[in-house]
Amino acid sequence: MTELARSRRGPSTGRVLVLGGTAEARRLAGRLVAEGVDVLSSLAGRVADPVLPPGEVRVGGFGGTAGLAAALDGVAALVDATHPFAATMTAHAAAAAAVTGTPLLRLQRPGWTAQPGDDWRWVDSLDEAATAVAGHRSVLLTTGRQGLAAFARLAAHCVVRSVDPPEPPLPARATVVLARGPFTVEDERALMTAHGVDVVVTKDSGGPMTAAKLTAARQLGVPVVLVRRPPLPEGVPVAATVEEAAVWALRWSGTTRPPATPRPR
């Protein structure tokens, strides 16, 4: 056993630690709390006024894999329900769970699927996305406030939408729109029309909360540059729905008999 493994001193208490910040994480916490499960939700603290889930909540990082492993002392199960692009946290969760022997499930909503009429261009990074839109006049950036440095050299007018004010560097011709979803198709059409948007950049986040922009782009004939999701750590089982994750967590919390180890997807 490693030193990290020895840091898990006590027996599990039935507590479920949910690494959150997503709508799915909040719904999962609510479902488990309603069943009487001891749930601790952890938020990264990157949003100034986050929507808090039911149950106990902690805000802030753990200090890498070692810190998360220490926090798993007495935890019966760990659910990584962070954003599909929170690759560092997902890697830390996999490593900490492995070294402490804590059951781990990744809750990740499916990515988006193109519909007839969509004009999607897939890229592997924000830097590639910036290259892909270099010839456009007005770009709608919905990639969040982090990583905007990749677009700082664009000559195009950039509409930057985020929940909190983004930090520089920003594109020289940037219009910042502070807004929290979900958004309607009408909202997205109005935004794109008002700013003459001729291309949208987004990450393949999946889910319905931010999908309206894809429908609006399709209706307006605007192409969309989508950044692919980072790969998941090898061997980590994945649940696509909150209900599937809840059933798994309820069993490990002691509500029902623990399940057999699920297969990775």
Side-chain angles (χ1 to χ4, degrees):
M1 294 177 66
T2 67
E3 290 303 316
L4 281 177
R6 293 193 189 100
S7 72
R8 190 165 186 251
R9 296 175 293 275
S12 64
T13 61
R15 164 167 281 199
V16 175
L17 174 57
V18 178
L19 305 179
T22 60
E24 289 80 11
R26 292 191 293 273
R27 287 165 49 206
L28 175 62
R31 171 86 161 78
L32 296 178
V33 167
E35 295 285 347
V37 177
D38 178 14
V39 178
L40 172 62
S41 294
S42 177
L43 307 181
R46 292 175 179 169
V47 177
D49 186 23
V51 180
L52 298 180
E56 186 178 348
V57 178
R58 71 176 298 279
V59 178
F62 289 95
T65 299
L68 179 54
L72 292 176
D73 184 21
V75 170
L78 173 65
V79 179
D80 173 18
T82 56
H83 192 274
F85 284 81
T88 299
M89 190 69 245
T90 292
H92 289 170
V99 80
T100 60
T102 305
L104 167 66
L105 182 72
R106 170 65 172 161
L107 171 56
Q108 180 167 279
R109 55 185 177 262
W112 289 312
T113 302
Q115 305 296 318
D118 282 328
D119 182 3
W120 289 3
R121 294 92 183 268
W122 289 93
V123 296
D124 290 320
S125 67
L126 292 176
D127 287 333
E128 288 187 14
T131 299
V133 302
H136 288 268
R137 299 183 308 276
S138 182
V139 183
L140 174 58
L141 297 176
T142 64
T143 56
R145 64 192 180 104
Q146 295 186 339
L148 289 174
F151 304 94
R153 295 185 179 181
L154 284 182
H157 171 233
C158 293
V159 181
V160 178
R161 184 168 68 195
S162 65
V163 176
D164 292 321
E167 297 180 357
L170 298 177
R173 299 171 56 209
T175 298
V176 177
V177 177
L178 299 181
R180 188 195 300 268
F183 306 103
T184 66
V185 174
E186 291 72 22
D187 291 337
E188 301 291 51
R189 283 179 60 99
L191 179 67
M192 294 181 198
T193 301
H195 293 280
V197 169
D198 62 349
V199 67
V200 176
V201 179
T202 192
K203 296 176 179 178
D204 183 22
S205 301
M209 282 191 66
T210 57
K213 61 176 171 282
L214 303 176
T215 303
R218 183 191 317 130
Q219 293 176 354
L220 294 172
V222 173
V224 179
V225 175
L226 283 110
V227 182
R228 291 185 180 91
R229 295 179 175 188
L232 292 174
E234 200 168 326
V236 175
V238 180
T241 67
V242 170
E243 185 56 32
E244 185 181 353
V247 170
W248 182 89
L250 283 168
R251 290 172 179 166
W252 281 112
S253 71
T255 305
T256 58
R257 190 166 66 88
T261 302
R263 292 182 178 181
R265 297 184 179 179

mmCIF file of all heavy atoms in Angstrom, residues 140 161 182-193 208-220:
data_model
loop_
_atom_site.group_PDB
_atom_site.id
_atom_site.type_symbol
_atom_site.label_atom_id
_atom_site.label_comp_id
_atom_site.label_asym_id
_atom_site.label_seq_id
_atom_site.Cartn_x
_atom_site.Cartn_y
_atom_site.Cartn_z
ATOM 1 N N LEU A 140 -19.611 34.141 -31.741
ATOM 2 C CA LEU A 140 -20.220 33.950 -30.423
ATOM 3 C C LEU A 140 -19.422 32.886 -29.683
ATOM 4 O O LEU A 140 -19.383 31.723 -30.090
ATOM 5 C CB LEU A 140 -21.683 33.518 -30.542
ATOM 6 C CG LEU A 140 -22.390 33.141 -29.229
ATOM 7 C CD1 LEU A 140 -22.363 34.300 -28.235
ATOM 8 C CD2 LEU A 140 -23.827 32.694 -29.501
ATOM 9 N N ARG A 161 -19.835 35.147 -23.855
ATOM 10 C CA ARG A 161 -20.888 34.949 -22.858
ATOM 11 C C ARG A 161 -20.371 34.056 -21.736
ATOM 12 O O ARG A 161 -19.802 32.994 -21.981
ATOM 13 C CB ARG A 161 -22.130 34.306 -23.483
ATOM 14 C CG ARG A 161 -23.279 34.190 -22.458
ATOM 15 C CD ARG A 161 -24.575 33.828 -23.104
ATOM 16 N NE ARG A 161 -24.574 32.480 -23.637
ATOM 17 C CZ ARG A 161 -25.476 32.026 -24.503
ATOM 18 N NH1 ARG A 161 -26.433 32.824 -24.944
ATOM 19 N NH2 ARG A 161 -25.421 30.783 -24.945
ATOM 20 N N PRO A 182 -30.629 28.170 -18.107
ATOM 21 C CA PRO A 182 -30.853 27.796 -19.506
ATOM 22 C C PRO A 182 -31.391 28.957 -20.344
ATOM 23 O O PRO A 182 -32.018 29.868 -19.829
ATOM 24 C CB PRO A 182 -31.881 26.670 -19.404
ATOM 25 C CG PRO A 182 -32.636 26.961 -18.144
ATOM 26 C CD PRO A 182 -31.636 27.566 -17.210
ATOM 27 N N PHE A 183 -31.119 28.878 -21.662
ATOM 28 C CA PHE A 183 -31.569 29.881 -22.609
ATOM 29 C C PHE A 183 -32.582 29.265 -23.572
ATOM 30 O O PHE A 183 -32.515 28.072 -23.869
ATOM 31 C CB PHE A 183 -30.378 30.422 -23.413
ATOM 32 C CG PHE A 183 -29.263 30.944 -22.548
ATOM 33 C CD1 PHE A 183 -28.114 30.195 -22.345
ATOM 34 C CD2 PHE A 183 -29.365 32.182 -21.943
ATOM 35 C CE1 PHE A 183 -27.086 30.667 -21.557
ATOM 36 C CE2 PHE A 183 -28.343 32.671 -21.145
ATOM 37 C CZ PHE A 183 -27.198 31.913 -20.945
ATOM 38 N N THR A 184 -33.501 30.080 -24.040
ATOM 39 C CA THR A 184 -34.472 29.600 -25.015
ATOM 40 C C THR A 184 -33.911 29.788 -26.426
ATOM 41 O O THR A 184 -32.963 30.568 -26.646
ATOM 42 C CB THR A 184 -35.799 30.364 -24.909
ATOM 43 O OG1 THR A 184 -35.577 31.740 -25.297
ATOM 44 C CG2 THR A 184 -36.340 30.326 -23.481
ATOM 45 N N VAL A 185 -34.515 29.111 -27.378
ATOM 46 C CA VAL A 185 -34.111 29.272 -28.771
ATOM 47 C C VAL A 185 -34.330 30.720 -29.210
ATOM 48 O O VAL A 185 -33.506 31.306 -29.921
ATOM 49 C CB VAL A 185 -34.882 28.301 -29.679
ATOM 50 C CG1 VAL A 185 -34.570 28.559 -31.154
ATOM 51 C CG2 VAL A 185 -34.551 26.853 -29.314
ATOM 52 N N GLU A 186 -35.431 31.314 -28.747
ATOM 53 C CA GLU A 186 -35.717 32.709 -29.091
ATOM 54 C C GLU A 186 -34.636 33.632 -28.540
ATOM 55 O O GLU A 186 -34.213 34.589 -29.213
ATOM 56 C CB GLU A 186 -37.089 33.117 -28.555
ATOM 57 C CG GLU A 186 -38.272 32.447 -29.234
ATOM 58 C CD GLU A 186 -38.417 30.965 -28.879
ATOM 59 O OE1 GLU A 186 -37.872 30.555 -27.802
ATOM 60 O OE2 GLU A 186 -39.033 30.218 -29.654
ATOM 61 N N ASP A 187 -34.192 33.382 -27.321
ATOM 62 C CA ASP A 187 -33.107 34.179 -26.731
ATOM 63 C C ASP A 187 -31.852 34.094 -27.588
ATOM 64 O O ASP A 187 -31.192 35.109 -27.865
ATOM 65 C CB ASP A 187 -32.774 33.668 -25.325
ATOM 66 C CG ASP A 187 -33.872 33.931 -24.313
ATOM 67 O OD1 ASP A 187 -34.679 34.853 -24.552
ATOM 68 O OD2 ASP A 187 -33.915 33.213 -23.297
ATOM 69 N N GLU A 188 -31.510 32.879 -27.993
ATOM 70 C CA GLU A 188 -30.282 32.669 -28.746
ATOM 71 C C GLU A 188 -30.363 33.275 -30.148
ATOM 72 O O GLU A 188 -29.393 33.862 -30.634
ATOM 73 C CB GLU A 188 -29.972 31.163 -28.833
ATOM 74 C CG GLU A 188 -29.804 30.470 -27.489
ATOM 75 C CD GLU A 188 -28.554 30.901 -26.746
ATOM 76 O OE1 GLU A 188 -28.317 32.124 -26.591
ATOM 77 O OE2 GLU A 188 -27.802 30.021 -26.309
ATOM 78 N N ARG A 189 -31.512 33.139 -30.768
ATOM 79 C CA ARG A 189 -31.691 33.759 -32.092
ATOM 80 C C ARG A 189 -31.550 35.280 -31.997
ATOM 81 O O ARG A 189 -30.899 35.907 -32.839
ATOM 82 C CB ARG A 189 -33.062 33.396 -32.659
ATOM 83 C CG ARG A 189 -33.181 31.999 -33.232
ATOM 84 C CD ARG A 189 -34.592 31.751 -33.734
ATOM 85 N NE ARG A 189 -34.949 32.714 -34.780
ATOM 86 C CZ ARG A 189 -34.905 32.449 -36.086
ATOM 87 N NH1 ARG A 189 -34.520 31.262 -36.508
ATOM 88 N NH2 ARG A 189 -35.254 33.364 -36.964
ATOM 89 N N ALA A 190 -32.159 35.853 -30.967
ATOM 90 C CA ALA A 190 -32.094 37.304 -30.793
ATOM 91 C C ALA A 190 -30.662 37.764 -30.559
ATOM 92 O O ALA A 190 -30.220 38.789 -31.112
ATOM 93 C CB ALA A 190 -32.994 37.727 -29.636
ATOM 94 N N LEU A 191 -29.909 37.018 -29.742
ATOM 95 C CA LEU A 191 -28.516 37.373 -29.455
ATOM 96 C C LEU A 191 -27.672 37.312 -30.726
ATOM 97 O O LEU A 191 -26.904 38.234 -31.028
ATOM 98 C CB LEU A 191 -27.950 36.440 -28.393
ATOM 99 C CG LEU A 191 -26.490 36.661 -28.009
ATOM 100 C CD1 LEU A 191 -26.308 38.003 -27.304
ATOM 101 C CD2 LEU A 191 -25.997 35.522 -27.114
ATOM 102 N N MET A 192 -27.822 36.224 -31.474
ATOM 103 C CA MET A 192 -27.025 36.059 -32.698
ATOM 104 C C MET A 192 -27.384 37.102 -33.749
ATOM 105 O O MET A 192 -26.511 37.655 -34.427
ATOM 106 C CB MET A 192 -27.219 34.643 -33.252
ATOM 107 C CG MET A 192 -26.675 33.545 -32.380
ATOM 108 S SD MET A 192 -26.918 31.898 -33.118
ATOM 109 C CE MET A 192 -26.700 30.855 -31.675
ATOM 110 N N THR A 193 -28.663 37.393 -33.857
ATOM 111 C CA THR A 193 -29.103 38.377 -34.853
ATOM 112 C C THR A 193 -28.636 39.781 -34.485
ATOM 113 O O THR A 193 -28.162 40.549 -35.333
ATOM 114 C CB THR A 193 -30.637 38.348 -34.981
ATOM 115 O OG1 THR A 193 -31.055 37.033 -35.373
ATOM 116 C CG2 THR A 193 -31.107 39.343 -36.019
ATOM 117 N N PRO A 208 -29.625 19.583 -22.129
ATOM 118 C CA PRO A 208 -30.579 20.546 -22.689
ATOM 119 C C PRO A 208 -30.382 21.986 -22.250
ATOM 120 O O PRO A 208 -30.894 22.909 -22.893
ATOM 121 C CB PRO A 208 -31.922 20.017 -22.172
ATOM 122 C CG PRO A 208 -31.580 19.368 -20.860
ATOM 123 C CD PRO A 208 -30.220 18.762 -21.051
ATOM 124 N N MET A 209 -29.639 22.247 -21.171
ATOM 125 C CA MET A 209 -29.587 23.592 -20.604
ATOM 126 C C MET A 209 -28.979 24.613 -21.565
ATOM 127 O O MET A 209 -29.371 25.774 -21.561
ATOM 128 C CB MET A 209 -28.806 23.593 -19.291
ATOM 129 C CG MET A 209 -29.596 23.076 -18.103
ATOM 130 S SD MET A 209 -28.767 23.386 -16.533
ATOM 131 C CE MET A 209 -28.798 25.177 -16.446
ATOM 132 N N THR A 210 -28.009 24.190 -22.359
ATOM 133 C CA THR A 210 -27.340 25.125 -23.262
ATOM 134 C C THR A 210 -27.436 24.693 -24.718
ATOM 135 O O THR A 210 -26.661 25.164 -25.562
ATOM 136 C CB THR A 210 -25.851 25.282 -22.868
ATOM 137 O OG1 THR A 210 -25.219 23.989 -22.889
ATOM 138 C CG2 THR A 210 -25.722 25.891 -21.483
ATOM 139 N N ALA A 211 -28.375 23.806 -25.015
ATOM 140 C CA ALA A 211 -28.500 23.285 -26.382
ATOM 141 C C ALA A 211 -29.267 24.223 -27.302
ATOM 142 O O ALA A 211 -29.219 24.056 -28.528
ATOM 143 C CB ALA A 211 -29.179 21.920 -26.363
ATOM 144 N N ALA A 212 -29.965 25.221 -26.760
ATOM 145 C CA ALA A 212 -30.786 26.105 -27.596
ATOM 146 C C ALA A 212 -29.948 26.840 -28.632
ATOM 147 O O ALA A 212 -30.425 27.135 -29.728
ATOM 148 C CB ALA A 212 -31.541 27.102 -26.718
ATOM 149 N N LYS A 213 -28.700 27.139 -28.300
ATOM 150 C CA LYS A 213 -27.847 27.847 -29.264
ATOM 151 C C LYS A 213 -27.619 27.016 -30.521
ATOM 152 O O LYS A 213 -27.454 27.555 -31.619
ATOM 153 C CB LYS A 213 -26.519 28.230 -28.640
ATOM 154 C CG LYS A 213 -25.681 27.060 -28.151
ATOM 155 C CD LYS A 213 -24.346 27.562 -27.638
ATOM 156 C CE LYS A 213 -23.579 26.444 -26.943
ATOM 157 N NZ LYS A 213 -24.102 26.208 -25.583
ATOM 158 N N LEU A 214 -27.601 25.690 -30.364
ATOM 159 C CA LEU A 214 -27.409 24.819 -31.523
ATOM 160 C C LEU A 214 -28.627 24.858 -32.434
ATOM 161 O O LEU A 214 -28.499 24.890 -33.661
ATOM 162 C CB LEU A 214 -27.133 23.390 -31.056
ATOM 163 C CG LEU A 214 -25.936 23.212 -30.118
ATOM 164 C CD1 LEU A 214 -25.838 21.764 -29.666
ATOM 165 C CD2 LEU A 214 -24.642 23.653 -30.801
ATOM 166 N N THR A 215 -29.811 24.867 -31.821
ATOM 167 C CA THR A 215 -31.042 24.971 -32.607
ATOM 168 C C THR A 215 -31.124 26.323 -33.303
ATOM 169 O O THR A 215 -31.470 26.418 -34.485
ATOM 170 C CB THR A 215 -32.272 24.778 -31.705
ATOM 171 O OG1 THR A 215 -32.183 23.512 -31.051
ATOM 172 C CG2 THR A 215 -33.559 24.835 -32.506
ATOM 173 N N ALA A 216 -30.788 27.380 -32.581
ATOM 174 C CA ALA A 216 -30.820 28.719 -33.171
ATOM 175 C C ALA A 216 -29.840 28.832 -34.327
ATOM 176 O O ALA A 216 -30.152 29.405 -35.378
ATOM 177 C CB ALA A 216 -30.503 29.765 -32.102
ATOM 178 N N ALA A 217 -28.645 28.287 -34.151
ATOM 179 C CA ALA A 217 -27.656 28.318 -35.224
ATOM 180 C C ALA A 217 -28.150 27.558 -36.444
ATOM 181 O O ALA A 217 -27.972 28.003 -37.590
ATOM 182 C CB ALA A 217 -26.332 27.736 -34.728
ATOM 183 N N ARG A 218 -28.784 26.426 -36.215
ATOM 184 C CA ARG A 218 -29.339 25.645 -37.329
ATOM 185 C C ARG A 218 -30.395 26.454 -38.072
ATOM 186 O O ARG A 218 -30.412 26.498 -39.309
ATOM 187 C CB ARG A 218 -29.940 24.344 -36.799
ATOM 188 C CG ARG A 218 -30.489 23.412 -37.877
ATOM 189 C CD ARG A 218 -31.304 22.260 -37.274
ATOM 190 N NE ARG A 218 -30.626 21.718 -36.104
ATOM 191 C CZ ARG A 218 -31.216 21.529 -34.927
ATOM 192 N NH1 ARG A 218 -32.493 21.865 -34.747
ATOM 193 N NH2 ARG A 218 -30.549 21.015 -33.932
ATOM 194 N N GLN A 219 -31.275 27.101 -37.319
ATOM 195 C CA GLN A 219 -32.349 27.876 -37.943
ATOM 196 C C GLN A 219 -31.814 29.068 -38.723
ATOM 197 O O GLN A 219 -32.383 29.451 -39.756
ATOM 198 C CB GLN A 219 -33.335 28.340 -36.872
ATOM 199 C CG GLN A 219 -34.119 27.207 -36.220
ATOM 200 C CD GLN A 219 -35.020 27.695 -35.099
ATOM 201 O OE1 GLN A 219 -34.994 28.864 -34.721
ATOM 202 N NE2 GLN A 219 -35.837 26.801 -34.552
ATOM 203 N N LEU A 220 -30.716 29.653 -38.238
ATOM 204 C CA LEU A 220 -30.146 30.838 -38.887
ATOM 205 C C LEU A 220 -29.100 30.482 -39.949
ATOM 206 O O LEU A 220 -28.587 31.374 -40.626
ATOM 207 C CB LEU A 220 -29.512 31.745 -37.837
ATOM 208 C CG LEU A 220 -30.472 32.393 -36.827
ATOM 209 C CD1 LEU A 220 -29.693 33.106 -35.734
ATOM 210 C CD2 LEU A 220 -31.409 33.366 -37.532
#
